[in-house]
Amino acid sequence: AAIVADEDTMLTAYAGGEDLHRLTASKILNVSEESVTKEQRKHAKAVNFGFIYGQREKGFIISAKNSYGIDVSLQAAKNYRKEFFKTYPKLTSWHEKIKNELYMRGALSTNNGWVRDFKKAAATLIEEHEKKVLRLRKSLENIKTQASEAQRICSAYNDKLKGMLFTDSRIETLRDNKTVVVAALLQRQRNLFEDLYDADTLLKTIKSCNPMEVPRYLGKGSFLNKALNIPIQGLGAELMALALTKAEKALHNNSGRLINVIHDELVVECDKKDSSTIQHIVETAMCTAFAEIFPEHTYMLQGLVEAKSGKNWAEAK
């Protein structure tokens, strides 16, 4: 994110070997970096991984609780967001750039050319809403038919009762029951008509607006958060794919075997006697991949990769 957005403060921090979570904590909480506690750093971690990708205050509160187990008030979330973008102003302009590109192109790319097309997603949402309108229209026609038939039967009972010299309680009961059914069907008909009117109006709106606005009108969030993810997470995936190929090739002539990849971690099995050599090979492969994709930012290689060994993955972590 620092590289893609060309965020000076972040890049300077990395160049100086600073802990970015600790730096963010000091800024959002107005404390010195040296005095940042483990809990405060956790708050900053939630802030960094939330607001970079376009999270708003309410979404941040939920994410902070679910992902980091921390409780944040709405006012604190507002303060965090304000101080975050004050500290890293280039992220604000980068967000605007991504938003403009999203609305103009309807698609976003990583620096290496991987593309995500949101126009197709918008078209799918519109199609789903069209189907909803058709279902409502069909339901309304069915209810109209049922209500009309119930009204006919009710009228027939009334006509029958009018032609009788003496009241027939059985027919009266049938008539009264059918009257209740008619009332319920007519109410259902009115409700369906209102639902259809609202859905039809919304369909006209989403068909006429910028396709990138469609999910917002349908109450399905926003494409913007996903668009902000593409250049960062997509590039991270490309970086890991390159690191995988380099690590695999480097491990051909020794006991090391790649057995898993989890987010930004590679898991390798090897003979115990080779563990230090394998650690060096994996670290080198990952750093070389980073240097190839970001040749102008090799100063970030120090401390970029950390390899550990153990009897199993949990112990190695």
Side-chain angles (χ1 to χ4, degrees):
I3 292 170
V4 171
D6 194 27
E7 213 313 302
D8 301 329
T9 305
M10 283 184 168
L11 293 174
T12 301
Y14 280 122
E18 290 186 63
D19 179 334
L20 202 70
H21 296 317
R22 187 173 291 277
L23 172 62
T24 298
S26 73
K27 299 297 184 182
I28 65 173
L29 298 169
N30 194 28
V31 297
S32 67
E33 286 187 57
E34 296 74 23
S35 63
V36 171
T37 65
K38 186 176 180 180
E39 184 66 18
Q40 288 172 330
R41 187 181 182 278
K42 191 191 293 186
H43 278 242
K45 196 171 183 180
V47 165
N48 281 334
F49 290 136
F51 296 144
I52 279 177
Y53 300 118
Q55 226 169 44
R56 303 296 298 189
E57 290 85 349
K58 290 182 180 179
F60 169 75
I61 291 170
I62 295 169
S63 174
K65 179 66 175 177
N66 293 341
S67 301
Y68 299 92
I70 56 179
D71 294 305
V72 182
S73 69
L74 181 59
Q75 187 56 52
K78 287 180 178 178
N79 290 338
Y80 284 175
R81 192 171 188 278
K82 177 184 174 184
E83 293 302 320
F84 177 79
F85 287 108
K86 182 180 175 182
T87 302
Y88 309 119
K90 284 284 191 71
L91 287 177
T92 303
S93 53
W94 179 68
H95 280 197
E96 283 301 311
K97 176 188 172 186
I98 294 297
K99 184 177 180 180
N100 291 337
E101 188 175 352
L102 175 68
Y103 277 69
M104 292 291 287
R105 286 182 57 210
L108 262 295
S109 309
T110 65
N111 281 17
N112 291 326
W114 184 79
V115 180
R116 181 168 181 179
D117 190 344
F118 290 95
K119 295 187 291 294
K120 293 177 182 178
T124 299
L125 290 175
I126 291 174
E127 185 181 345
E128 289 173 355
H129 193 70
E130 284 177 328
K131 290 177 181 178
K132 178 183 177 180
V133 170
L134 289 174
R135 286 196 300 269
L136 285 170
R137 189 166 284 124
K138 187 175 181 180
S139 296
L140 180 58
E141 290 304 316
N142 289 338
I143 289 294
K144 280 182 178 179
T145 301
Q146 292 174 40
S148 178
E149 178 63 14
Q151 286 174 317
R152 187 192 66 75
I153 294 170
C154 198
S155 295
Y157 284 140
N158 277 328
D159 291 342
K160 202 167 188 177
L161 287 169
K162 286 177 185 177
M164 290 181 175
L165 291 174
F166 302 100
T167 300
D168 187 327
S169 60
R170 184 182 66 84
I171 293 177
E172 276 190 333
T173 300
L174 289 171
R175 191 262 327 262
D176 292 343
N177 288 343
K178 188 58 68 173
T179 300
V180 172
V181 171
V182 168
L185 287 170
L186 290 175
Q187 182 59 52
R188 176 65 178 147
Q189 182 178 312
R190 285 190 290 272
N191 292 342
L192 275 171
F193 180 81
E194 290 176 2
D195 290 345
L196 178 59
Y197 176 81
D198 291 342
D200 211 19
T201 301
L202 183 56
L203 181 60
K204 291 173 184 174
T205 300
I206 61 178
K207 280 187 170 183
S208 63
C209 74
N210 185 303
M212 299 305 103
E213 288 283 349
V214 169
R216 183 175 66 83
Y217 278 111
L218 293 175
K220 295 182 180 292
S222 167
F223 283 148
L224 182 58
N225 288 38
K226 296 182 179 70
L228 291 169
N229 266 265
I230 298 305
I232 311 304
Q233 303 284 26
L235 191 52
E238 291 167 338
L239 173 58
M240 180 53 87
L242 182 59
L244 271 168
T245 62
K246 290 185 177 299
E248 177 70 17
K249 187 179 291 186
L251 291 168
H252 273 175
N253 297 319
N254 51 56
S255 65
R257 293 293 177 269
L258 270 166
I259 61 167
N260 210 346
V261 53
I262 304 94
H263 302 302
D264 59 350
E265 294 183 56
L266 298 182
V267 182
V268 179
E269 277 188 348
C270 68
D271 292 342
K272 186 176 180 180
K273 62 181 176 59
D274 296 331
S275 61
S276 60
T277 300
I278 298 301
Q279 283 180 241
H280 177 69
I281 288 173
V282 174
E283 283 182 340
T284 301
M286 296 180 84
C287 286
T288 304
F290 185 91
E292 277 191 25
I293 289 183
F294 303 116
E296 296 177 1
H297 299 277
T298 52
Y299 59 85
M300 298 171 82
L301 290 174
Q302 185 178 355
L304 179 71
V305 181
E306 184 180 25
K308 296 179 182 178
S309 63
K311 293 178 182 177
N312 50 53
W313 181 39
E315 188 176 297
K317 287 173 72 69

